Amino acid sequence: MNDRPIGVFDSGLGGLTVLQALADLLPDEHLIYLGDTARYPYGPRSREELQRFSAEIADLLLAQGVKMIVIACNSATAAALELLRETTDVPVIGVVEPGVRAAQRVTSTGHVGVIGTQITADSKIYEHTAEHLRTGLELTTLACPGFVELVEDGETTGPRADEVIGTRLVELADHDIDVLVLGCTHYPLLARTIKDHVGRGVTLVSSADETAFEVRDILERTGWMREPAGIPGTRTFFTTGDPARFRELGERFLGFPLTDVRAHHWPASPAPAADL
Ligand code: DGL
């Protein structure tokens, strides 16, 4: 038994899709979430930057006493999963392997599309993971710049979403996929518009549920489930952006109240030394 919280992080609101699955499957667990809104989007950033950001967030979560860290962000998983596993002494879970397993479970043809941020697509983490797990899947990966901004701007449907999503997803038209992995945790919040453009015969898959099952497996294996069961866990949210906006959009998207949203401010980077 272990009463400490589970830490979850993302560049902003997207990881709430994973937190929701965790809250549903493990209602007794305390959850602490950090959305790094001030530094989103992560997708166009370098691997080194995301490693630094992820290490800073892990330190913050560890200072809150977390017993496990869920990287609810594909971009940070691609850049920093291995690093955090090497440098922290709690289990660290990413969202890519669960996403690949979920796709493997539902595809009939083995032709699977993956959409994600630039760094996720460039890292080829989905291809490497599918190969490592010996799935035999044939993946077509597409970077989708601008999708995350739609979510953070609260425009998940409407003319701008149609334009940005439609223009990009037309690239998948000739690939004959039967499953599309939403390889960015923001994208389930765009699911209706994505489905409208990719075709209703394509099954959309997100990593949220599979990630939550993986967390439960680890808690069961380690005996770290919180007890006594039946007393609901607390949900604490930190954002490096504006807490009122985070709460408003988070509640709108997820349909449950975010009653405890707190601000976290990163210390300002030191100014570069002046030339003498
Ligand atoms: N939710 C993050 C992901 O899964 C979005 C990254 C971003 O901020 O671009 O990759």
Side-chain angles (χ1 to χ4, degrees):
M1 159 180 152
N2 187 328
D3 277 357
R4 284 150 58 200
I6 297 171
V8 183
F9 76 89
D10 178 46
S11 65
L13 294 159
L16 292 178
T17 57
V18 178
L19 180 124
Q20 185 176 39
L22 288 166
D24 279 350
L25 192 67
L26 300 163
D28 301 327
E29 294 297 324
H30 297 311
L31 302 174
I32 295 186
Y33 183 91
L34 182 120
D36 196 7
T37 321
R39 302 193 291 200
Y40 105 96
Y42 276 10
R45 291 186 181 271
S46 69
R47 179 180 163 84
E48 290 69 31
E49 269 180 309
L50 293 195
Q51 288 187 334
R52 180 163 60 81
F53 293 175
S54 300
E56 287 169 358
I57 295 169
D59 283 348
L60 182 96
L61 294 171
L62 291 167
Q64 300 283 324
V66 299
K67 61 184 169 188
M68 184 187 300
I69 293 175
V70 179
I71 309 179
C73 173
N74 291 261
S75 309
T77 300
L81 176 64
E82 294 313 319
L83 175 78
L84 293 195
R85 283 188 169 158
E86 282 162 18
T87 53
T88 62
D89 56 3
V90 298
V92 181
I93 318 289
V95 281
V96 172
E97 213 176 289
V100 171
R101 277 201 303 267
Q104 191 182 17
R105 250 190 267 286
V106 293
T107 182
S108 309
T109 63
H111 295 172
V112 170
V114 180
I115 53 174
T117 66
Q118 196 66 53
I119 191 167
T120 300
D122 290 349
S123 72
K124 301 218 175 306
I125 189 168
Y126 274 89
E127 288 80 349
H128 295 150
T129 305
E131 205 178 303
H132 177 71
L133 297 177
R134 298 177 197 279
T135 59
L137 295 177
E138 195 180 303
L139 300 186
T140 302
T141 301
L142 184 70
C144 295
F147 284 25
V148 167
E149 288 85 336
L150 292 171
V151 174
E152 295 290 334
D153 291 344
E155 287 191 52
T156 51
T157 55
R160 179 178 157 212
D162 263 330
E163 167 68 19
V164 172
I165 292 172
T167 309
R168 197 65 192 136
L169 293 191
V170 84
E171 304 271 333
L172 289 175
D174 296 332
H175 287 277
D176 199 26
I177 56 173
D178 73 337
V179 168
L180 180 64
V181 178
L182 305 178
C184 167
T185 53
H186 281 71
Y187 296 176
L189 299 166
L190 300 166
R192 256 60 61 190
T193 309
I194 290 173
K195 188 114 181 164
D196 211 17
H197 286 281
V198 87
R200 275 146 56 199
V202 174
T203 304
L204 303 189
V205 161
S206 94
S207 54
D209 288 351
E210 198 64 30
T211 303
F213 284 119
E214 187 170 331
V215 169
R216 188 179 66 178
D217 287 349
I218 291 173
L219 294 179
E220 282 173 352
R221 231 179 17 245
T222 53
W224 281 6
M225 208 67 100
R226 177 173 170 253
E227 284 177 37
I231 301 171
T234 55
R235 282 88 184 83
T236 309
F237 301 88
F238 289 91
T239 173
T240 58
D242 173 15
R245 181 156 176 79
F246 184 91
R247 173 182 296 143
E248 184 214 321
L249 285 174
E251 289 183 346
R252 163 141 58 100
F253 292 145
L254 297 184
F256 63 77
L258 308 190
T259 46
D260 186 3
V261 181
R262 308 175 192 182
H264 176 76
H265 300 294
W266 299 118
S269 316
D275 287 336
L276 294 178

